[in-house]
Amino acid sequence: MRTLSDSTRQQAQALMEMYPTKEAAMLPVLHLAQKEFGLIDDEAEQVVAEVMGISPVSVRETSRFYFMYHHHPVGKYHLQVCQNISCTIMGAETILDHIKRRLGIEAEERTEDGLFSVERVECIACCDRGPAMLVNDKLHTGLTPDKIDGIIKESDPERKLDHMQSEGNKE
Amino acid sequence: MPEIIINDQQIEVPEGTNLILAARKLGIDIPHFCYHPGLSVAGSCRMCQVEIEQNGRKRIDLACTNPAQDGMTVKTDSPEVKGIVKAVLEFLLLNHPTDCPICDDAGECKLQDYYMLHGLYDNRLNVDKWHKPKVHRAGPNVMLDAERCVLCGRCVRFCDEIWGEKQLGIFGHGSDEVLMNYPGKDLDNPYSGNVVDLCPVGALLDRDFHFQRRSWYLKSVKSICPSCSRGCNTYIHFDTDHDYKSAGKRIMRLKPRYNVDVNRWWICDRGRYGYSSIDNPNRALTPLIAGGETGWEQALTKSETLIRSSLKKPGPDGLALLMAPNATNEDVYLALRLFRDTVKFANLGYDIPSMEKLAADNILLTDDPYPNRRGFKDLGFGSISNTSEAAEIIEAIFAGQIKGLVVCGTNLEGMLGNQIDNLIAKLDWLIVLDTHKSSLMDKASVALPLALPAEREGTFTNVKGLVQKFEKAVEPTGQSLPLWEVLQRLGKRLNAKWSFEETHTVFKSLAEDKPEYDTLNWLATFGVNKGLYLDSW
Ligand code: SF4
Ligand code: SF4
Ligand code: FES
Ligand code: FES
């Protein structure tokens, strides 16, 4: 069974002490665990339950409610593409299609080499600069197909893009 | 105490009473799924909405989360309330599989009842329903059909609040939400069956009752659990008219009966699922003489002869009775009048250091697997000359001091193992009375078959001294008889001066100079009930 590093445990402890009930620290502690494990699967839930001294059922009730916890492995670069109204008006669908074509995967999937994964997310609070997406913790706004290609190239310089025709590029 | 008006009827209720409870006192049922008086209030299903007028303002609000407050006027049947309840129900039923024809809960399901009372709309959904796990084993006793769940959370709160460990949870989001045990961890607490009673729909089900009977075929009597000294109040649900499946199965299930002083709404799994010993191929069916089947007349004549033959020699000191504390007060009383007072056995014992101590907890289960140890004490079970414990009696037999032995239900084989034959060899005769076949019965001079509590009426006194009556559900198996009746017949042959015709006259006689026993009003109990639960939520 995996276990959390001492420093993460200490951070979790500090978080729990900030609130009148330790359950209140569940969301940030889950984020800490996700950072360390890369995802929140069954085992991670049980580790968090053990660290927090609460039932794994309670941890699962929380972790499965929120979309920002991954229950399956994501890529080294996790693209979270906003699908809410402002971004959609600004062309989020085209952006998503372009990404899918470039990477050869569907939304909520991961490339075979484990480098990239794509997820559709709700508003990430950059509605004035849509279409927007997060790559891991980094924000990208005013997305165009070219910008997407740039981001992919920057993350994985070896990746070949030209063999795939993107409809977005034809315009 | 706040005074309120519900649907034009006035009522005064204790401080803190919520509107569902207050309305119920007036016989008004406010529809609800998540509320249960034994659990914390969740306010999550939204079914219980009512119109509340207070301080000149009207609002629609939940009945379960609102305590009655002085001057409230509540309406449960205004057109607006009816519309809201109907809409909530339509949402709850949106993805419900409506597979009532194959659902064990049909006939006792709140969704069904509320649809008929408050729904009656046509389905407006023209896309496919969401699917969820359908036949899922939640634990050793309970199965789950997650599609039928209305996510009321009663089962979740039961495990958390009553048992003390969260074994079920609601996982996911939106239409995806699903009630489940934690993957790889069973719903296996010793009270797990209660979630089946709590579930307002057919999502959580008794595995042993799955596809066994339609609920409307069941009849019900009030009973007392004989599986430990708590004496939880139960209903026996039985059916002798639709035996299309499992030949000979009459008792279909046990359900808790509300008693605030004993078990509230709950029973443990040991008690709940222990009924399989009743309709069991191992039941003792006929009297035996030296292992050969015979009738009651011959067997009783033989018993009489054996007992009479020993009254002079070895005499009272050489005679003993062992009785397990699962006999009723009526049985104990007649056993005393016969063996202590009439034929004057010198050795009467029951207090065997329990071989199987139960894992007691502070919910219901006690460590004593017998239902009537307290009754034995209260009625002064024991002999006049010797205060003999069962263990001492057994020693005396091995020492050759006791020559004749009557055993009622005591598990001597379990106690003595292969020493049992040595014990029998020391005796001139052995009379065994029991409910289930055993090699002890086969080896006895005479063996007499006894009825179980479900097959007769009687009283047990629970660990706290409460005298509780149970009723007869089904006829005794084979030729078996209630113990007190056997003692009555034997007593008559041995010139006893007393005679009883019915269980309740025995009880009356034993209660005569016992004020704690005299309080039980024997006749103020029901016969076979049509409605399965008189106290369902
Ligand atoms: S399984 Fe039954 S009791 Fe549990 S949440 Fe679902 S409907 Fe409620
Ligand atoms: S706690 Fe004891 S009396 Fe109650 S149901 Fe369980 S075994 Fe029966
Ligand atoms: S709608 Fe996309 S960031 Fe708000
Ligand atoms: S009973 Fe009130 S909200 Fe469920």
Side-chain angles (χ1 to χ4, degrees):
Chain A
M1 182 136 159
R2 277 168 294 171
T3 168
L4 282 174
S5 67
D6 286 346
S7 84
T8 305
R9 276 171 191 267
Q10 277 159 17
Q11 289 179 61
Q13 200 53 46
L15 280 165
M16 284 189 279
E17 280 160 19
M18 280 171 62
Y19 303 98
T21 60
K22 53 188 175 183
E23 283 83 356
M26 181 107 71
L27 294 179
V29 174
L30 277 167
H31 278 299
L32 284 177
Q34 172 154 299
K35 209 163 193 179
E36 189 159 324
F37 295 145
L39 81 175
I40 301 291
D41 55 4
D42 293 2
E43 205 177 276
E45 281 168 1
Q46 287 167 50
V47 173
V48 169
E50 182 252 310
V51 168
M52 295 188 68
I54 58 181
S55 151
V57 168
S58 304
V59 177
R60 192 180 185 81
E61 283 183 321
T62 308
S63 90
R64 303 280 153 163
F65 184 83
Y66 293 103
F67 287 125
M68 285 167 95
Y69 302 115
H70 317 306
H71 309 298
H72 301 288
V74 294
K76 183 172 174 205
Y77 302 100
H78 184 52
L79 280 53
Q80 293 150 274
V81 187
C82 173
Q83 297 290 289
N84 266 171
I85 183 86
S86 308
C87 290
T88 300
I89 290 170
M90 299 303 289
E93 276 183 70
T94 321
I95 295 299
L96 185 67
D97 282 346
H98 184 77
I99 294 173
K100 293 199 293 200
R101 229 167 257 125
R102 277 297 189 232
L103 297 174
I105 54 173
E106 288 301 311
E108 279 75 58
E109 283 183 2
R110 187 172 70 147
T111 56
E112 256 171 43
D113 58 11
L115 273 182
F116 293 94
S117 52
V118 185
E119 191 185 8
R120 295 166 295 182
V121 300
E122 307 302 321
C123 179
I124 51 177
C126 287
C127 321
D128 56 333
R129 284 168 285 160
M133 77 170 178
L134 285 165
V135 179
N136 299 342
D137 287 342
K138 192 158 182 265
L139 177 66
H140 298 270
T141 56
L143 294 172
T144 61
D146 282 343
K147 272 198 180 177
I148 295 291
D149 290 349
I151 293 165
I152 294 175
K153 257 288 181 261
E154 193 185 320
S155 315
D156 180 17
E158 306 291 290
R159 208 168 199 90
K160 294 204 169 47
L161 297 178
D162 27 47
H163 69 284
M164 275 178 274
Q165 250 309 317
S166 173
E167 270 171 33
N169 273 346
K170 280 188 233 157
E171 292 168 314
Chain B
M1 292 217 298
E3 218 177 281
I4 63 170
I5 295 170
I6 307 179
N7 295 355
D8 302 325
Q9 287 171 267
Q10 193 149 347
I11 185 167
E12 202 178 326
V13 291
E15 197 75 44
T17 309
N18 77 8
L19 296 180
I20 293 187
L21 282 164
R24 195 156 157 128
K25 287 201 170 153
L26 289 170
I28 299 167
D29 183 51
I30 297 179
H32 59 275
F33 288 110
C34 68
Y35 176 71
H36 188 281
L39 304 171
S40 67
V41 177
S44 61
C45 73
R46 321 312 282 180
M47 258 314 264
C48 67
Q49 301 189 57
V50 292
E51 183 185 296
I52 301 174
E53 197 177 333
Q54 200 177 12
N55 307 325
R57 286 171 178 230
K58 258 190 202 167
R59 68 178 199 273
I60 298 285
D61 206 341
L62 300 180
C64 66
T65 52
N66 274 288
Q69 281 170 355
D70 220 21
M72 268 185 176
T73 306
V74 178
K75 282 213 166 68
T76 71
D77 57 359
S78 71
E80 199 186 354
V81 170
K82 283 184 173 169
I84 288 169
V85 169
K86 189 170 173 172
V88 170
L89 195 63
E90 191 174 1
F91 267 116
L92 287 172
L93 267 166
L94 209 55
N95 284 306
H96 191 86
T98 354
D99 52 352
C100 313
I102 56 151
C103 178
D104 291 332
D105 209 46
E108 41 190 20
C109 166
K110 274 182 177 296
L111 262 186
Q112 283 185 327
D113 293 351
Y114 290 159
Y115 177 78
M116 297 312 289
L117 286 167
H118 310 288
L120 292 180
Y121 52 80
D122 288 327
N123 185 15
R124 292 189 281 169
L125 189 74
N126 51 17
V127 295
D128 287 346
K129 296 190 176 196
W130 284 65
H131 287 295
K132 293 179 185 175
K134 188 88 189 137
V135 194
H136 173 77
R137 178 189 181 280
N141 297 318
V142 179
M143 54 184 281
L144 165 71
D145 181 324
E147 294 190 326
R148 296 183 187 144
C149 168
V150 294
L151 300 168
C152 70
R154 282 181 175 192
C155 54
V156 176
R157 278 173 283 142
F158 176 84
C159 294
D160 192 14
E161 295 165 11
I162 307 297
W163 169 240
E165 180 198 350
K166 252 189 156 174
Q167 292 199 315
L168 294 170
I170 294 174
F171 308 126
H173 195 126
S175 298
D176 247 348
E177 263 187 318
V178 55
L179 176 283
M180 261 297 142
N181 51 315
Y182 196 88
K185 295 195 170 136
D186 272 1
L187 166 69
D188 61 358
N189 70 69
Y191 294 84
S192 69
N194 290 290
V195 302
V196 176
D197 312 334
L198 284 169
C199 183
V201 300
L204 291 166
L205 299 167
D206 286 314
R207 291 180 70 196
D208 66 329
F209 185 66
H210 191 42
F211 292 160
Q212 292 299 306
R213 279 299 192 280
R214 306 302 354 214
S215 65
W216 48 90
Y217 289 154
L218 299 176
K219 294 187 196 109
S220 158
V221 294
K222 293 175 166 182
S223 194
I224 300 296
C225 174
S227 298
C228 91
S229 61
R230 176 74 57 202
C232 291
N233 293 203
T234 57
Y235 292 110
I236 297 179
H237 287 172
F238 61 100
D239 171 35
T240 46
D241 302 328
H242 306 86
D243 193 5
Y244 58 87
K245 190 149 179 171
S246 38
K249 198 167 166 191
R250 304 169 298 169
I251 308 292
M252 303 312 297
R253 61 182 191 186
L254 304 183
K255 290 285 173 186
R257 177 160 59 95
Y258 177 71
N259 185 332
V260 70
D261 296 321
V262 184
N263 55 307
R264 309 210 298 152
W265 297 268
W266 329 121
I267 51 174
C268 78
D269 288 2
R270 173 187 158 86
R272 181 186 300 263
Y273 300 112
Y275 66 88
S276 59
S277 64
I278 304 169
D279 296 320
N280 188 301
N282 244 353
R283 287 295 301 279
L285 300 176
T286 58
L288 308 173
I289 294 180
E293 288 186 11
T294 181
W296 275 103
E297 280 311 307
Q298 295 90 319
L300 288 171
T301 308
K302 178 80 185 165
S303 308
E304 178 196 346
T305 315
L306 292 174
I307 293 172
R308 278 188 192 282
S309 72
S310 307
L311 290 179
K312 287 254 154 55
K313 204 178 163 265
D317 282 342
L319 298 173
L321 165 70
L322 287 179
M323 210 164 159
N326 53 15
T328 73
N329 290 321
E330 298 71 28
D331 303 339
V332 175
Y333 180 69
L334 284 202
L336 288 175
R337 296 206 60 178
L338 176 60
F339 292 110
R340 184 188 62 191
D341 305 340
T342 307
V343 291
K344 302 201 172 7
F345 279 28
N347 311 284
L348 310 184
Y350 75 96
D351 213 5
I352 296 166
S354 181
M355 284 166 299
E356 37 150 358
K357 279 233 178 224
L358 303 178
D361 56 41
N362 51 17
I363 304 171
L364 297 174
L365 264 171
T366 69
D367 63 3
D368 180 0
Y370 293 109
N372 203 30
R373 196 178 297 272
R374 177 68 185 258
F376 275 63
K377 282 209 181 95
D378 287 355
L379 295 176
F381 191 90
S383 63
I384 292 173
S385 46
N386 305 348
T387 50
S388 28
E389 299 249 329
E392 291 168 19
I393 291 177
I394 288 163
E395 263 174 48
I397 297 172
F398 278 122
Q401 293 154 4
I402 290 173
K403 287 294 178 191
L405 175 66
V406 179
V407 181
C408 294
T410 308
N411 181 5
L412 280 184
E413 288 167 298
M415 275 176 81
L416 298 175
N418 47 21
Q419 286 290 321
I420 190 84
D421 288 333
N422 298 343
L423 185 96
I424 296 173
K426 293 272 180 188
L427 294 167
D428 292 344
W429 53 261
L430 168 68
I431 300 174
V432 177
L433 298 90
D434 215 334
T435 54
H436 290 74
K437 289 178 187 148
S438 67
S439 63
L440 192 65
M441 282 186 115
D442 292 337
K443 291 170 189 164
S445 326
V446 181
L448 306 171
L450 296 181
L452 281 166
E455 300 168 330
R456 50 168 297 188
E457 52 182 7
T459 61
F460 288 137
T461 310
N462 87 343
V463 65
K464 289 197 209 156
L466 201 67
V467 186
Q468 304 193 97
K469 180 194 161 192
F470 57 85
E471 301 195 309
K472 172 175 168 176
V474 293
E475 289 303 321
T477 299
Q479 296 182 39
S480 67
L481 287 174
L483 177 52
W484 77 263
E485 267 188 65
V486 180
L487 298 171
Q488 170 63 46
R489 291 194 193 187
L490 197 54
K492 205 163 170 199
R493 289 163 182 274
L494 292 164
N495 305 334
K497 294 194 192 66
W498 35 266
S499 169
F500 297 97
E501 304 264 287
E502 282 174 278
T503 321
H504 87 263
T505 53
V506 183
F507 179 79
K508 228 176 124 199
S509 178
L510 79 84
E512 234 154 52
D513 51 345
K514 287 202 165 355
E516 343 63 280
Y517 281 64
D518 210 15
T519 52
L520 183 95
N521 184 348
W522 190 277
L523 299 172
T525 42
F526 300 59
V528 173
N529 300 313
K530 255 244 172 95
L532 290 185
Y533 308 98
L534 302 167
D535 41 13
S536 91
W537 275 94

